Amino acid sequence: MEGNIFMTDIRTESTSVTSRALLFDGVDTKPYVKELSVRAPGAGEVLVKMTATGVCHSDLHVINGDWPYPYRLMLGHEGAGIVESVGADVSDLAPGDQVVLSWFAPCMNCPSCHEGKSWLCQGSGAFVDGLPDGTTPLAADDGKEVRPYLGVGAFSEYTLVPRPAAVKIPNAVPPEVAALIGCSIATGVGAVGNTADVRAGQTAVVVGCGGVGQALIMGLKLVGARQIIAVDLSDDRLDIARGFGATDVLKGDDPDLAKKIKDLSGGGTDFAFDAIGLTSTSAALTGYLKQGGAAVYVGMPPRDAEATIRPWEIIVTGQRILGCNYGSTRPAVDFPKIAELYLAGLLPLDEMVGERIGLDAAAEAIEDLKSSIGRRKIVVY
Ligand SMILES: NC(=O)c1ccc[n+]([C@@H]2O[C@H](COP(=O)([O-])OP(=O)(O)OC[C@H]3O[C@@H](n4cnc5c(N)ncnc54)[C@H](O)[C@@H]3O)[C@@H](O)[C@H]2O)c1
Ligand SMILES: [Zn+2]
Ligand SMILES: [Zn+2]
């Protein structure tokens, strides 16, 4: 059908679909599954039939109330699916294509996007948990507003996103892996390759070895880091970290943690990544570094959290503190690149995939992140 002048009509659906989705009404309530309606894609939009959604700690931050929201959310942001239909002017995606969803869809029209730094976009629909024009494509029969978390809302059988949020990757990538590329993997691998620009032979410590920490370790191994010190409170997570390439493991509650890191690394590491976002872990990060090293904040704190640093020490040691939003990735460029690295056997992404669960078990799985045991749970549809 390529080139057929009727192709646009054939590919465009005009009716909405019903979808079971995980909704959240706000702090002190529990997420619940409810059927809602997702409208048909208009110009510049894509309707996606979800295949897999990872359970990420950012969903836990939401239900914990770390980042309060004034409206009802359709939860989930680490997802992938198959294009169901596209808006009339979308010519570079077709039904049947596998897409990874980007939870920070760039507007492509702000100064950061013009500079090619779409991870710093100032006009993303992610800021309003909706489409770039501020509206929501979702409707529930109770009449109450419901908005897709970060403009994605991936815990749902269907979702509707703007074109830049749907990134095509080869259908040969399994859905579970595709879903993880949408958050933890892009963030961890991107933090190493883009934000920090780690080079072969350098050293790093990774604090927090959940999904994001595991992706950091994989990224560090990929670029040839010679020492990767993994830190976690959970022995299970430290075992997993070793499997991904950690050369040394340490307990996060060890009172001599900084000294042990300095001893193991001969005076401090080139990089220290925080992948849990506690005030205490963020503040401690520069204490693990050598002269000129860089601390990379990846784990997210509550919005109003404050941590103390010692500016004098930063100055005299020439250290740097780097903020990492979404692995400083440009989804359209980096997601397919990550998929190709996986298909070439250079990133063992299958090993991040844990238990596959149904949508009805998603709320419990988000809570269960607190146990810090096992690999990433993934909702499959
Ligand atoms: N910057 C970004 O763009 C971005 C993207 C995705 C996720 N995140 C954030 O990254 C963080 C991690 O997400 P995740 O899904 O990997 O979480 P996770 O729940 O899978 O893993 C967190 C890990 O941190 C460990 N931990 C807890 N307290 C610790 C301590 N004091 N010392 C050492 N380890 C400790 C836990 O045992 C667990 O293994 C979250 O804050 C999440 O919101 C940030
Ligand atoms: Zn996430
Ligand atoms: Zn932008």
Side-chain angles (χ1 to χ4, degrees), residues 82-94:
I82 299 292
V83 173
E84 178 79 2
S85 58
V86 297
D89 64 342
V90 177
S91 56
D92 54 353
L93 274 183

Side-chain angles (χ1 to χ4, degrees), residues 106-110 112-113 121-124:
C107 73
M108 308 311 290
N109 204 27
C110 71
S112 301
C113 285
C121 174
Q122 295 137 63
S124 174

Side-chain angles (χ1 to χ4, degrees), residues 41-54:
E45 296 173 346
V46 183
L47 180 67
V48 179
K49 186 175 194 316
M50 298 301 294
T51 51
T53 309

